[in-house]
Every structure is written in C-alpha cells, then in structure tokens.
C-alpha cells in the first residue's frame, strides 16, 4: 500500500477505491429467469392424486364404466326412495310445504327490503325519469336488445373451437 500513516478518511477512500476496481461477480441479466425456468416445484400430494384420478377416469372404457355405475346408483336410489316416499307422502308434503312457506316468507321480506331501499335512495325515480316516455323507453329497450345480441355473438365467437392450431393467431 503506502509507507505513510493514513487517517481514517483516507483509509476508507483507499478501501472503497480498491473495492470498486474489483471485477463484478453479479450474475448476468436473465440469469434468475433461466434458473427458475428449470426449477420444478413439487405439487401437493392431493393435487397429484386428483390429476391421476382424473386421467384414469377419463380413459374411454373407464369413463363409460363410471357413468354406468353412477346411473345404476341413481336408479337404485330412486327405486329404494320411491316406495318410501309413497308410503310417507303426508310427511313429504308437510315438509315440502314447510320449506316452501319459509322460503316464500324470506323472499317476501327480501323483496320488500329491496323495494323500500329503491324508493328511499331515489333509484326508482331515476329509472322512471330515464326511460319513462315512449321514445326513451323504446331506445332503452333497443339498446338492451342490441347489447344482449352482441354479448351472445361474442360468447359464440369465444366458445367456437378453432379448426387448426394456428386459428387463434390468424384471427388476432
């Protein structure tokens, strides 16, 4: 280094100068991406089992066998539950009417709450004034119908299976 005694600031400057002259050992650009592209993260055991079961079940013979077994279970259930339901028809009707009454009461309460909110908040008046007269009403109906048709056509285009593998690239 040097023969003379250095004070702290000169020593710090000298160390920093020497350190900055060292070659950079940092990885190159894209190094992290290249390494992470090769890393395969293990999947949880439940996901692996589910994927294997799905692949097993979707083989044509097995899928047909599983569908037949499912249909047989449904038929057996109906054959067993049918006579019981016929023998206990009074209880079934009582239970169904009880459920229907509670669901109907809940729907009435919910509809009343929504209607009162609509009146209090002014939403009802805004809707009446926006589409209340003849020309505005028909314009609103036409706009909604065109929007519905356009959405249906867009959904049809999105769900249409491509004929070739480069079909998507050609349409974009």
């Amino acid at each position: 280094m040097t023969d003379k005694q250095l004070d702290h600031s000169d020593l710090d400057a000298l160390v920093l100068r020497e350190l900055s002259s060292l070659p950079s050992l940092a990885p190159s650009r894209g190094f992290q991406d290249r390494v992470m592209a090769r890393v395969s993260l293990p999947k949880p055991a439940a996901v692996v089992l589910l994927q294997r079961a799905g692949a097993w079940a979707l083989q044509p013979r097995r899928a047909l066998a599983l569908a037949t077994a499912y249909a047989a279970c449904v038929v057996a259930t109906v054959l067993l539950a049918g006579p019981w339901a016929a023998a206990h028809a009074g209880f079934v009707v009582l239970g169904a009417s009880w459920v229907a009454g509670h669901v109907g009461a809940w729907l009435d309460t919910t509809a009343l709450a929504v209607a009162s909110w609509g009146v209090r908040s002014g939403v009802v008046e805004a809707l009446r004034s926006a589409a209340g007269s003849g020309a505005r009403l028909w314009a609103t109906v036409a706009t909604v119908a065109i929007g519905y048709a356009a959405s249906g056509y867009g959904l049809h285009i999105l769900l249409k299976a491509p004929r070739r593998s480069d079909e998507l690239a050609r349409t974009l």
Side-chain angles (χ1 to χ4, degrees):
M1 296 221 312
T2 177
D3 291 341
K4 79 175 203 175
Q5 188 69 16
L6 297 175
D7 64 351
H8 290 295
S9 62
D10 291 337
L11 183 61
D12 289 344
L14 179 66
V15 168
L16 286 176
R17 197 170 42 246
E18 292 297 321
L19 284 175
S20 65
S21 68
L22 291 174
S24 175
L25 298 177
S28 63
R29 284 185 183 235
F31 174 76
Q32 177 183 0
D33 295 331
R34 289 191 304 271
V35 169
M36 290 308 291
R38 291 187 209 158
V39 172
S40 63
L41 298 175
K43 293 181 182 176
V47 173
V48 172
L49 287 175
L50 185 63
Q51 288 175 343
R52 286 182 185 166
W56 179 85
L58 290 178
Q59 292 177 359
R61 287 184 183 163
R62 292 181 180 142
L64 183 61
L66 288 172
T68 304
Y70 178 72
C73 288
V74 169
V75 168
T77 303
V78 168
L79 289 176
L80 292 175
W84 180 89
H88 298 88
F91 291 117
V92 172
V93 170
L94 178 67
S97 65
W98 180 82
V99 169
H102 279 77
V103 169
W106 180 81
L107 286 174
D108 288 343
T109 305
T110 304
L112 186 59
V114 169
S116 65
W117 170 82
V119 169
R120 278 182 300 180
S121 66
V123 171
V124 173
E125 284 302 317
L127 289 174
R128 280 187 187 160
S129 66
S133 62
R136 285 185 185 168
L137 178 65
W138 287 111
T140 303
V141 168
T143 303
V144 168
I146 290 170
Y148 183 76
S151 298
Y153 182 71
L155 187 61
H156 167 73
I157 294 299
L158 287 174
L159 293 178
K160 187 170 66 171
R163 285 179 235 117
R164 295 189 321 228
S165 62
D166 64 339
E167 183 75 21
L168 182 62
R170 284 190 317 123
T171 58
L172 294 176

